[in-house]
Amino acid sequence: MKFVCYSHVCVVWVLWFPPKLQSHACVPLMYAEAMVLTAIRGELVVIPVEWSWLTLSRVLFSRQEVMKWNGWGYSDSRFLFNKKGQAEFTGRRYRLSGMVLPSLKDWFESTFGASLQHKSPATATLNASAVPFPSLNEAFLQDLKSTGIPFSHEAEDRVFRAHGHCLHEIFALREGKFGRVPDLVVWPNCHEDVVKTVDLACRHNVCLIPYGGGTSVSSALECPPDETRCIVSLDTSQMSRILWIDEKNLTAHVEAGIVGQDLERLLNESGYCTGHEPDSMEFSSLGGWVATRASGMKKNVYGNIEDLVVHIKMVCPRGVVEKSCQGPRVSIGPDIHHFIMGSEGTLGVVTEVTIKIRPMPEYQKYGSVVFPNFEQGVACLREVAKQRCAPASIRLMDNAQFQFGHALKPQVSSIFTSFLDGLKKFYITKFKGFDPHHLCVATLLFEGDRERVLQHEKQVYDIAAKFGGLAAGEDNGQRGYMLTFVIAYLRDLGMDYYVIGESFETSVPWDRVLDLCRNVKERIVRECRERGVQFPPLATCRVTQTYDAGACVYFYFAFNYRGLADPVNIYGRVEHAAREEILANGGSLSHHHGVGKLRKHWMPESISDVGIGMLKSVKEYVDPDNIFGSRNLL
Amino acid sequence: SVSQSCMVRISSLYPPPLALASCAKPRDPALKKRDDFEDILEERRSSSDLRYALRCYVPVVYKGIAPCKPGVLKTAVLQSDRLRHVMSKETGESADVIREEASGILEEMAHRLRLGTVRFFAYSLSKAFKALFQRVRVNEDGIQRLQQSIQEHPVVLLPSHRSYMDFLIMSYILYTYDLSLPVIAAGMDFLGMKIVGEMLRMSGAFFIRRSFGGDKLYWAVFSEYVKTMLRNGYAPIEFFLEGTRSRTCKSLTPKLGLLNIVMEPFFKGEVFDVSLVPISISYERVLEEALYARELLGVPKPKESTSGLLKARKILSEDYGSIHVYFGHPVSLRSLAQGRINRSQYNLLPRHIPRRPSQETQAFVNETAYRLVRLQEENMVLRPWVLVAALLLQNPDGVDMERLVEQTSWLRGLAVSFGAFLDWPDYVSASKAVASSLALHTGLVRTEGGRAQLAMEPKEPGSPEEDLFDRAASVLSCASYRNQILHVFLRPALLGMAMQMAEASRKDDIYSCFSFLRDVFSNEFILCPGGTVQDFDEACYMLTKCAAVHVQKQEVVATEKGQRILSFLTSLFQPFLKGYQVGPAPFLELVDYPRHFCFLGFLPSATSELTCYEALSSDVQKNALAALLRMKVVRKLKV
């Protein structure tokens, strides 16, 4: 029954989904989601197409029914090794879904020394009785009830909002271990609801932790274990409406709980987009982007969150903070937006944001370039940045990541394609003399009107050629971007077989890029060896963003932990060492993940004691009773 | 005397130490494990030198990188950001002129490694070594470790410097074991030698001026040249921490210039790590033995020249015993710097712009240099003769053979328990060891009627000055052997002397005397600034271990049994104490004294104590004067 309107929905889907994902043919279906959900709840409702306001955000009221409680993403989408030992990706949401990935097993086993024989499965279901009993502030609860704002103290709801996606958080969940979790979850429906909630929290001295998409990788959502007050998780998912679109000024006023994919989809219906596409855009929220200073893949065209935001409304214990106009640039003292952006939930809740929008691009084109080595690749990116002609996205993967991407190639359907692949490989390695163990790939995404895109493409390929780069086709480029969407799912697969890992990022001046990449990778390898990790770890990086004065570098680090007593602890120490190495090599503490609690140790040395004092004094004024007590950042 | 009076003054200035206990317990030096040696000449004696010199030579290289050509290297240096920066700063002259000048400097400096020349050296050195030495012994485990290091990180080879032979031996050994040949920092003086200088250049030497004080361009070219080689992992870089050959066989206070340069790429993140390999080259008899004693007495060093080299051929007919080359464990600069150097201090300035190292960096480099020299010292192989020489110098009137044998055997036990690396296998009896030691050094010792005595009588009597000169020369030659073992006894001896000086057993008093003595002698011996507490603990530990002293919470007391040890130790260092008391006295008004003056200026009577001869050594005088200046006891007047 519930499939009744599938065809219906498909049509809509293709219309609104960004062209980049259109090719993800077999559908992540928001509507179907809602139907499944209602079906599960025992009501059989067919949702008409007109109900387009039904967004994932809304569904996220009880997100555990759509999403994994102890892993990344949708419950139906996961990697597994089938009976034949071949990797496949389940579900129907992504381009890779339902496909067999024949080379993944070999790559996995040879990279990590892992074996399909050695499994480390997760606890299957959430054992509610193991979750600490909520300690509730009765007076707060009474007043909250009178406001009519929905709330819950069910174990599942609370556990779900007690974590982000750091390795140690997910690892604990897989083992069925729960630390301090929020005592209560509230779902305000609008700005006024938030004002009421914050007001009550202040009155009853309750600790609030805002919760958006839950994709944090900085321990920002972790409840401080020694917090004795009642902790309330303020879930913004119900605040997910676009309140208005201003086509004259190209801005949209949006509630902050909306998640990236909904925002894009809804704007696309009107022919617009924000163009802000962080890798987590499927699940992360607008409010979360503001609170962490997020960066999107296509920032070269659209800018990072700080460039996109025109107006912010935030509810703090001291009151509501916002500017009185929407002037595109102002000189009225230090920009208060910059107190809000990056405050990581320590000052208040962002409720509404006015964000720039752009007409949807007419044309998109992927591309890729193969370089003989990483050094040449970086030199090329530097030149592209110098000439300020970076495409919407340009990323450079190192050799290990190139091989990783290769391992994710789906089964080739025809002999012809496989022959063609072989021919390409022959051309690059034999004819052009690229060493397969050194070559690396840059992936490109161009956007705009067709003619300009083609012109731009030529300009970039010409520069690449000067650095020994060879154009390597659209397909390779597209696969590169796919990797970022599925990598988090892949981590769950690794964790089923004793492999743990994570990513971390930094930004660094151009002249330091190569040194930093080499030293950090080597540090990881050395630290692992010194800490008794048996098999050399995977330590790989890519340059993901270019700026005038530097670049953003992203690392993946994973290792096989069989035989180690406390793998998470070792992981943490190695990551800590890697961060020290980053800082010693002129890298920043974070480019876009934020500080949270994971990296706050380095804050004083990063921004100086006086800098810390400045932030503290703001915190003291805005939230003197530490109602927003996540203890991030400071 | 001056130094004695100042002793009192200065020691009273020292506040009592707050905490004497250091966190790290000294470990027992006698338990130090060392590798075995292989004689590399053995094979040379049994197979063709020519084939050896022409064999296939494929060394392992850093990260599998193919070494670039010297020409490419030069271009890289000339086009480096650092040089461009210096050129842009240099005013008054056009860029072309400066570039020309830089290119000239590089031309004069750069090495031109050629395999052909290396093969020529491999052949001729094989012949020479076989004639000169009985054995050239190398610890092969050290070679293995080095081979591993070369592949992982840029390597810096840091041999001790006692002889011109040092770098020839080094390259010879690396060639023998199929390791990358090092590029070697050599003094410009060698370029004075026709042909030979250029041949050294073609075997990997690069030449630096002895002094280039304010010449920014020279410094930039030089440091960039070394750093470029290091960053690219071009070849191991070799230089002598001590800066020059030690004429006394004592390690010299390390020079920091080159060490600073090779560390900088690590500090600035340009390389992941740098392996510093201390290498100890010990000679049973140094080729330059006689020359050194004369130099110490003020006869100028003969100028390096090819004809001089040819004249020196006659040394080929003498027996110089064995050479031991010990490749120490590579020291990871990264591990040393861990927690000491905050590398992010380099984040705010473009890395090619030179900057004075911060104080913490300077202290770290200095400390590392001392540590490395101490590692060199630790692995110096000592022959029994060194013990004999030490004893003979304490008995100027000679000693009965029997007694000498007994004392040597006793000293051997003491030295070993203090961690000396003695080449004295158990199956060799003391009498045999003493006998063979005396046999190899007949020039220095006279054995007559069951007595052994330093050979002091001149062969043909001359003027009183000449006789004195000869006597002093033979004492200094003998002292150069004794000097080899001083580092083993240095810390306990300082404690022993401090106990004598303090005339009380209060630990605090002894510590402040110890600290004073250590300060006085820090130009003379390898005593790292700031390591007083650690050295004091080490000394206490060692003397307690051999039951010479009893260390309590507040007191340090000599034991009955310890008298012999303590009196040996104090008299071992007596010549230095004396030297510091009387040595510099004549020059205190004459700061800018001419070189030869150190001999003529001070004539002790022939009957005076033997120890006074050592006060004639320009080395002791120089160090003493430097110490007095450093401690602000004397002031330098411009004359």
Side-chain angles (χ1 to χ4, degrees), chain A residues 369-373 376-377 379-380 428 432 434 439-440 461-471:
Chain A
V369 181
V370 187
F371 291 99
N373 54 47
Q376 294 281 69
C380 172
I428 287 175
K432 281 289 175 180
F434 285 16
L439 64 81
C440 72
Y461 283 125
D462 284 350
I463 295 174
K466 285 189 194 135
F467 296 90
L470 295 174

Side-chain angles (χ1 to χ4, degrees), chain A residues 210-510:
Chain A
Y211 183 90
T215 55
S216 146
V217 280
S218 59
S219 298
L221 289 169
E222 251 174 37
C223 298
D226 55 347
E227 178 59 70
T228 51
R229 297 175 293 180
C230 168
I231 299 181
V232 175
S233 174
L234 193 155
D235 186 325
T236 59
S237 62
Q238 302 314 297
M239 308 196 302
S240 58
R241 285 159 290 235
I242 294 180
L243 297 176
W244 45 256
I245 292 177
D246 178 348
E247 295 183 283
K248 294 216 173 58
N249 295 308
L250 287 180
T251 54
H253 192 66
V254 190
E255 289 184 311
I258 196 165
V259 297
Q261 58 167 316
D262 289 341
L263 177 61
E264 286 309 288
R265 177 172 54 79
L266 292 174
L267 286 175
N268 288 173
E269 282 172 13
S270 321
Y272 293 106
C273 65
T274 64
H276 184 68
E277 294 184 14
D279 290 355
S280 60
M281 72 169 289
E282 287 176 284
F283 308 109
S284 56
S285 69
L286 174 57
W289 300 338
V290 171
T292 56
R293 294 182 66 87
S295 167
M297 178 179 102
K298 300 194 292 196
K299 73 94 192 155
N300 293 335
V301 174
Y302 300 95
N304 287 317
I305 195 72
E306 67 271 21
D307 310 311
L308 285 164
V309 160
V310 176
H311 184 267
I312 305 172
K313 197 189 267 185
M314 177 165 77
V315 181
C316 315
R318 191 60 81 167
V320 176
V321 55
E322 61 180 322
K323 290 185 193 171
S324 68
C325 73
Q326 307 207 24
R329 183 194 184 266
V330 292
S331 170
I332 40 178
D335 192 340
I336 56 162
H337 283 174
H338 285 280
F339 288 125
I340 299 168
M341 284 187 288
S343 62
E344 304 192 359
T346 58
L347 299 178
V349 190
V350 176
T351 54
E352 289 170 17
V353 176
T354 307
I355 190 166
K356 293 182 200 168
I357 56 172
R358 299 287 306 163
M360 283 172 70
E362 177 193 302
Y363 186 65
Q364 265 193 330
K365 195 174 182 193
Y366 287 97
S368 64
V369 181
V370 187
F371 291 99
N373 54 47
F374 193 61
E375 289 75 8
Q376 294 281 69
V378 171
C380 172
L381 261 64
R382 204 282 161 265
E383 184 60 28
V384 166
K386 198 179 197 170
Q387 298 193 18
R388 291 203 174 159
C389 65
S393 169
I394 178 165
R395 290 176 167 177
L396 178 75
M397 299 188 268
D398 70 0
N399 184 262
Q401 211 161 114
F402 163 72
Q403 311 228 3
F404 183 13
H406 235 65
L408 289 173
K409 245 185 171 173
Q411 201 152 34
V412 235
S413 38
S414 73
I415 299 175
F416 181 68
T417 350
S418 98
F419 171 74
L420 222 56
D421 279 349
L423 210 61
K424 272 190 233 159
K425 195 174 164 189
F426 176 83
Y427 176 74
I428 287 175
T429 60
K430 296 289 179 312
F431 193 74
K432 281 289 175 180
F434 285 16
D435 180 344
H437 297 290
H438 284 129
L439 64 81
C440 72
V441 178
T443 58
L444 311 165
L445 171 62
F446 298 91
E447 232 179 61
D449 64 72
R450 201 185 136 83
E451 211 164 302
R452 293 261 280 286
V453 163
L454 296 178
Q455 211 182 339
H456 194 178
E457 193 186 19
K458 184 175 178 311
Q459 188 186 5
V460 172
Y461 283 125
D462 284 350
I463 295 174
K466 285 189 194 135
F467 296 90
L470 295 174
E474 290 183 57
D475 198 42
N476 275 320
Q478 201 168 2
R479 194 167 33 251
Y481 288 99
M482 184 183 64
L483 185 66
T484 63
F485 282 94
V486 298
I487 183 79
Y489 287 105
L490 271 168
R491 180 172 79 176
D492 290 337
L493 175 74
M495 287 173 89
D496 288 337
Y497 295 92
Y498 287 98
V499 171
I500 52 176
E502 200 168 344
S503 58
F504 49 90
E505 42 71 32
T506 187
S507 54
V508 60
W510 278 115

